[in-house]
Amino acid sequence: MPPDTLSHRVLNRTLLQRQHLLTRATLSPADEIEHLLGLQAQEALPPYVSLWSRLRDLDPTVVSAALERRTAVRLLLMRGTIHLVSPRDALLLRALVQPQLDRQAGTGQDSRRAAEVDRDDLRRAVATALADGPVPFAVLGELLGGTFPGVPETALAQRARCEVPLVQVPPRGLWQRSGGVVVDLLQSWVADEPVPDPDPAEVVRRYLCAYGPASAADVTTWSGITGMRAVLRSLEDELVPYRDERGRALVDLAGVPLAEAETPAPVRLLGRYDNLWLSHADRDRVTPDREKRGRWMGSNGGLGATVFVDGALEGLWRRTPSGRVDVELFRRLTGGERADLDTELDALETFLA
């Protein structure tokens, strides 16, 4: 029997369902962070907004407290971006994406001027620089420059953050607090956390539970890990094959339900970046209109936080100095959609206050 074909709307609603964006979940922030395999956290606010959009009655100070207690950490992971993850996932995912980060260190504009430095020498120098605990990222560059004279300090620090797992320590990332980038060695910061066996199959199962159905290319886009076809083949007995409307092969974990196409999708307000639309080879599952996607994406990244209506990107929002939330919509909303948006805006303003 040929694989079932899934409509775009079924894939859209299923992704929203698994991301807890159809109905807010009653999970703890820690459980939600693990379910999502981390949250985009280049900036301080987006992970809090991402959790607020997905969870009932989120208390942001609980997330801040987790960072301070070291039961949540911020570090460079998938796609070479900062993520907020559990300590276990920090160790697990960093081990899996390290080859991709090593490649990034050798080719990145900021780090390649330090490409001639021996990798083992660099790692030993980073360990020495952080032997007494966290240091500001700029100071790390200065300390490394003393070990490798003539090599740009910025390039050394940028290569170090790719090749050595470094945590951004609080107050960076705390709720309504500011703080520069201060780093420590991941394994020093979470010293009591057992190092898990980096099993790609486990990660793929979890990815499908949060982002599926998906293709091998989707998993690679999300993670940067190559060889996903072989991992999916090893899971063949656990998977169900599908195709999308364009005939592309997808797989999903057997027994994980799909959403109904007719399921309504409420308005959701997300951050400037969110794994919702960054975790598939094609971003059209929730951002199908390239022109609208271009209005979000500037030359160096997103131009604003995002508004999703009926499961698609339909606008941007920004917080004003007065605490209000301004919205720029990409289309005229129906009366019901506008009422839904106003309810979410009022709730977001209360949350941000």
Side-chain angles (χ1 to χ4, degrees):
M1 176 181 290
D4 290 341
T5 297
L6 302 179
S7 69
H8 177 271
R9 191 172 173 92
V10 166
L11 289 171
N12 171 273
R13 294 308 196 253
T14 299
L15 175 59
L16 294 171
Q17 177 173 280
R18 296 185 187 184
Q19 291 280 305
H20 302 148
L21 290 167
L22 293 180
T23 303
R24 284 180 164 93
T26 56
L27 297 176
S28 69
D31 287 343
E32 184 73 347
I33 291 167
E34 286 224 327
H35 168 71
L36 298 170
L37 284 154
L39 293 162
Q40 293 280 148
Q42 293 100 308
E43 300 167 348
L45 184 60
Y48 290 94
V49 175
S50 293
L51 289 170
W52 170 82
S53 296
R54 290 169 165 91
L55 299 178
R56 296 182 185 176
D57 303 320
L58 174 69
D59 180 351
T61 64
V62 171
V63 183
S64 268
L67 284 165
E68 293 181 305
R69 293 197 309 267
R70 310 188 188 192
T71 56
V73 295
R74 295 164 48 92
L75 78 162
L76 200 68
L77 286 173
M78 289 77 72
R79 302 180 299 282
T81 56
I82 299 295
H83 279 68
L84 174 67
V85 292
S86 68
R88 177 184 180 276
D89 278 350
L91 294 163
L92 170 67
L93 295 171
R94 183 62 187 238
L96 288 173
V97 305
Q98 191 59 58
Q100 184 264 337
L101 295 176
D102 289 343
R103 291 192 295 272
Q104 179 177 318
T107 60
Q109 182 175 354
D110 294 331
S111 58
R112 63 189 176 193
R113 290 180 297 167
E116 298 304 314
V117 174
D118 180 80
R119 178 176 296 173
D120 290 337
D121 289 344
L122 178 65
R123 290 175 176 172
R124 282 192 289 268
V126 172
T128 298
L130 296 171
D132 294 328
V135 301
F137 189 63
V139 173
L140 175 63
E142 294 171 5
L143 294 172
L144 295 176
T147 304
F148 305 103
V151 183
E153 294 174 357
T154 300
L156 287 165
Q158 291 295 335
R159 186 175 163 197
R161 74 194 286 265
C162 288
E163 296 194 3
V164 181
L166 299 176
V167 174
Q168 294 186 353
V169 308
R172 184 77 169 180
L174 297 184
W175 176 246
Q176 297 185 339
R177 296 268 302 277
S178 60
V181 178
V182 177
V183 297
D184 197 5
L185 295 167
L186 170 62
Q187 287 189 289
S188 297
W189 191 252
V190 295
D192 295 333
E193 185 73 22
V195 179
D197 179 25
D199 180 6
E202 175 200 346
V203 173
V204 169
R205 290 186 191 98
R206 291 175 59 193
Y207 170 85
L208 291 172
C209 285
Y211 299 94
S215 65
D218 291 329
V219 186
T220 296
T221 296
W222 166 76
S223 65
I225 306 169
T226 58
M228 284 299 109
R229 291 186 185 278
V231 176
L232 291 176
R233 281 197 297 271
S234 74
L235 294 171
E236 194 170 19
D237 292 344
E238 302 177 36
L239 302 178
V240 178
Y242 295 107
R243 290 196 180 276
D244 67 11
E245 291 176 336
R246 286 188 268 177
R248 294 175 296 187
L250 306 172
V251 295
D252 201 10
L253 281 176
V256 180
L258 302 172
E260 297 290 337
E262 297 77 18
T263 306
V267 170
R268 289 291 182 255
L269 305 172
L270 299 175
R272 188 188 304 266
Y273 303 99
D274 193 290
N275 289 355
L276 175 70
W277 70 89
L278 299 174
S279 301
H280 297 87
D282 278 327
R283 294 183 177 178
D284 61 358
R285 204 168 288 198
V286 291
T287 59
D289 190 311
R290 290 181 181 271
E291 181 180 347
K292 293 174 181 176
R293 199 158 67 215
R295 293 177 67 176
W296 163 77
M297 187 166 53
S299 58
N300 288 314
L303 297 177
T306 50
V307 179
F308 284 81
V309 182
D310 194 28
L313 176 66
E314 294 294 357
L316 304 176
W317 66 267
R318 298 174 181 85
R319 191 183 187 191
T320 69
S322 68
R324 299 286 296 175
V325 175
D326 282 347
V327 174
E328 173 192 351
L329 293 174
F330 298 160
R331 68 168 172 86
R332 180 183 290 275
L333 304 188
T334 68
E337 289 170 342
R338 184 71 229 195
D340 195 7
L341 173 61
D342 289 342
T343 298
E344 284 294 289
L345 289 172
D346 287 345
L348 178 60
E349 288 178 353
T350 299
F351 175 72
L352 294 177

